[in-house]
Amino acid sequence: CGDDIEISIILKDNIIIDIGHQGNGCAISQAGVSLLTDFLKGKSMQNATGFTKDNMLQLLQIPISHTRLKCALLAWQVLQSIIKTYESKN
């Protein structure tokens, strides 16, 4: 779809003490990443690991059509990539 999201996380003792994002895209993908980063700040990486697609859709609190589902889940997919990298290093 052309949307682009980057998420940066700073951890201390397995806790997300700071998290930020940048990127470009539609309102749904940008709202999703903003809500996700706000939600995860102060939580453990274990909480992040347990965060599901359904949790992502619940954060948005709006009906998502099938064609916009990819936009709504983009931040969650980036989070999954971060988790894989984190787990491979620990």
Side-chain angles (χ1 to χ4, degrees):
C1 67
D3 290 11
D4 179 43
I5 291 175
E6 182 178 315
I7 298 174
S8 301
I9 295 175
I10 298 174
L11 294 172
K12 183 176 181 182
D13 299 325
N14 246 2
I15 302 296
I16 300 169
I17 60 168
D18 200 10
I19 184 168
H21 64 88
Q22 62 182 20
N24 295 301
C26 69
I28 292 174
S29 69
Q30 296 304 297
V33 72
S34 181
L35 290 166
L36 179 65
T37 55
D38 286 348
F39 177 80
L40 290 175
K41 188 170 183 176
K43 295 198 173 41
S44 70
M45 278 304 288
Q46 288 76 18
N47 289 125
T49 301
F51 193 82
T52 67
K53 289 180 184 181
D54 288 337
N55 296 138
M56 187 69 221
L57 295 174
Q58 288 172 348
L59 275 182
L60 286 166
Q61 296 183 4
I62 59 171
I64 302 294
S65 69
H66 178 71
T67 56
R68 300 308 297 254
L69 191 58
K70 185 176 180 181
C71 302
L73 294 176
L74 182 58
W76 179 81
Q77 290 173 331
V78 173
L79 175 63
Q80 296 311 299
S81 178
I82 291 168
I83 290 167
K84 284 182 184 178
T85 301
Y86 171 78
E87 288 175 344
S88 72
K89 292 181 178 182
N90 291 307

